[in-house]
C-alpha cells in the first residue's frame, strides 16, 4: 500500500521550455502533497506544500511563478517548471500524505536536465 | 526554522555487524521523526518513524530511539545485509508528519562490506 507514482522519470529539454511533472497517489487519497528538490549527493529541500483545491504554499526563496503547482484532485498534483533554464536542472521528488498524522510517501522522482 | 544534523556522512560496516546513524534537531516543537532509505536514482522509502510520545520503536532488524530532552534520535540496524547499502535520511516535523514538509538531515551513505 501507499504507492506514489511520478511521471516522467526523466526529462531532457532545451532552455526556455516548460516542463510538467505529475505526481499521483495510486492507492490512497492524498489530502496533502509536497514537492521537494534534490541536488546531486545532497539532501531533499522542500519547495512547496499543496492541499487539494487550495493554492500551494511555497517555501522562502522558491518562485511561485516559476514553479506552478496544481493539486486538482485527491490523487493528483502537478508541478510545472516554466521557461526552464540550466540552473533548474535537478531531481524533483513529490510526496503525499493521507492525513495529519500519516507519514509522507515519496515517488521515485523526476530527473530534469535543461540543455 | 528547524535544523537537522546527521552523522556520520559515510558509514562502512562489515556484513552482519550493526550500524548506527545519529541525528539531532533544533526545534523543541518537532514531534515526528521518520527515517528514509534512498537507493540510487529512486525516491526515499520510509523504513521506520517515531513520534515524540514514544522513546523507542522496533521493526525486525531496524530500531529507532528518541531522546526528547537532548533532542536527538538514532537509527539502529542490526545484522546488516548487502541490500542495506543505500543513503539513509533522518527528518523532523512539528505537524505530525502529514500536514507540513519534512526537514531532512544531509544523509548517511551506508556501505555494507561483504
Amino acid at each position: 500500500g501507499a504507492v506514489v507514482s511520478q511521471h516522467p522519470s526523466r526529462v531532457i529539454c532545451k532552455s526556455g521550455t516548460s516542463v510538467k511533472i505529475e505526481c499521483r497517489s495510486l492507492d490512497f487519497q492524498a489530502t496533502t502533497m509536497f514537492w521537494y528538490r534534490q541536488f546531486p549527493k545532497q539532501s531533499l529541500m522542500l519547495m512547496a506544500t499543496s492541499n487539494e483545491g487550495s493554492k500551494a504554499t511555497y517555501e522562502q526563496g522558491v518562485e511561485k511563478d516559476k514553479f506552478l503547482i496544481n493539486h486538482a484532485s485527491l490523487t493528483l498534483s502537478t508541478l510545472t517548471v516554466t521557461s526552464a533554464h540550466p540552473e533548474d536542472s535537478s531531481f524533483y521528488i513529490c510526496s503525499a500524505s493521507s492525513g495529519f498524522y500519516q507519514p509522507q510517501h515519496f515517488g521515485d522522482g523526476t530527473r530534469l536536465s535543461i540543455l | 526554522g528547524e535544523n537537522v544534523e546527521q552523522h556520520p556522512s559515510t558509514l562502512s560496516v562489515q556484513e552482519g555487524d550493526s550500524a548506527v546513524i545519529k541525528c539531532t534537531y533544533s526545534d523543541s516543537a518537532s514531534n515526528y521523526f521518520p527515517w528514509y532509505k534512498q537507493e540510487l536514482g529512486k525516491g526515499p522509502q520510509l523504513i521506520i518513524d517515531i513520534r515524540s510520545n514514544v522513546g523507542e520503536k522496533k521493526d525486525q532488524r531496524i530500531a529507532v530511539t528518541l531522546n526528547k530532552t537532548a533532542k536527538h534520535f538514532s537509527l539502529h540496524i542490526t545484522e546488516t545485509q548487502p541490500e542495506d547499502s543505500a543513503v539513509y535520511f533522518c527528518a523532523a516535523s512539528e505537524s505530525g508528519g502529514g500536514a507540513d514538509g519534512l526537514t531532512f538531515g544531509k544523509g548517511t551513505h551506508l556501505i555494507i562490506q561483504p
Side-chain angles (χ1 to χ4, degrees):
Chain A
V3 178
V4 176
S5 174
Q6 198 170 331
H7 180 81
S9 58
R10 175 128 199 188
V11 179
I12 302 173
C13 58
K14 294 181 179 179
S15 185
T17 307
S18 291
V19 177
K20 180 186 280 189
I21 303 169
E22 289 188 352
C23 179
R24 294 181 185 271
S25 56
L26 298 186
D27 54 359
F28 66 99
Q29 293 190 322
T31 54
T32 308
M33 286 184 165
F34 306 85
W35 288 95
Y36 293 82
R37 185 171 179 176
Q38 185 177 32
F39 289 105
K41 297 186 178 181
Q42 293 192 26
S43 191
L44 288 81
M45 298 298 294
L46 179 68
M47 298 175 66
T49 301
S50 74
N51 293 289
E52 184 259 340
S54 303
K55 287 186 178 180
T57 302
Y58 291 81
E59 294 299 297
Q60 192 172 9
V62 178
E63 300 175 56
K64 62 180 181 181
D65 295 329
K66 174 78 170 174
F67 299 100
L68 300 179
I69 292 171
N70 184 284
H71 191 163
S73 77
L74 284 172
T75 59
L76 173 64
S77 176
T78 60
L79 168 68
T80 301
V81 184
T82 61
S83 188
H85 292 285
E87 58 267 28
D88 299 321
S89 298
S90 190
F91 193 49
Y92 292 88
I93 314 175
C94 71
S95 71
S97 173
S98 60
F100 188 89
Y101 289 109
Q102 299 304 312
Q104 292 183 31
H105 298 281
F106 284 80
D108 272 342
T110 297
R111 175 77 56 197
L112 177 62
S113 300
I114 308 298
L115 305 177
Chain B
E2 176 64 278
N3 182 49
V4 177
E5 299 284 339
Q6 183 172 347
H7 298 279
S9 56
T10 303
L11 178 61
S12 181
V13 300
Q14 290 293 124
E15 182 179 350
D17 288 350
S18 296
V20 180
I21 303 170
K22 298 182 179 181
C23 288
T24 61
Y25 60 99
S26 62
D27 189 349
S28 56
S30 289
N31 56 25
Y32 174 68
F33 308 93
W35 285 88
Y36 287 88
K37 174 184 181 182
Q38 186 177 29
E39 297 176 334
L40 194 62
K42 299 239 174 186
Q45 177 188 5
L46 179 69
I47 56 172
I48 196 167
D49 57 8
I50 192 168
R51 299 192 182 274
S52 59
N53 59 346
V54 176
E56 183 173 357
K57 184 176 178 181
K58 190 173 181 180
D59 182 4
Q60 299 183 339
R61 296 186 298 111
I62 295 173
V64 56
T65 58
L66 171 65
N67 184 325
K68 285 190 298 181
T69 304
K71 287 191 278 188
H72 68 71
F73 56 112
S74 301
L75 176 71
H76 304 252
I77 304 174
T78 58
E79 301 171 19
T80 53
Q81 301 167 3
E83 53 265 35
D84 294 330
S85 294
V87 179
Y88 290 79
F89 290 97
C90 63
S93 167
E94 64 175 78
S95 70
D100 293 322
L102 299 170
T103 300
F104 283 86
K106 291 192 174 181
T108 296
H109 186 192
L110 177 62
I111 302 165
I112 307 301
Q113 305 277 6

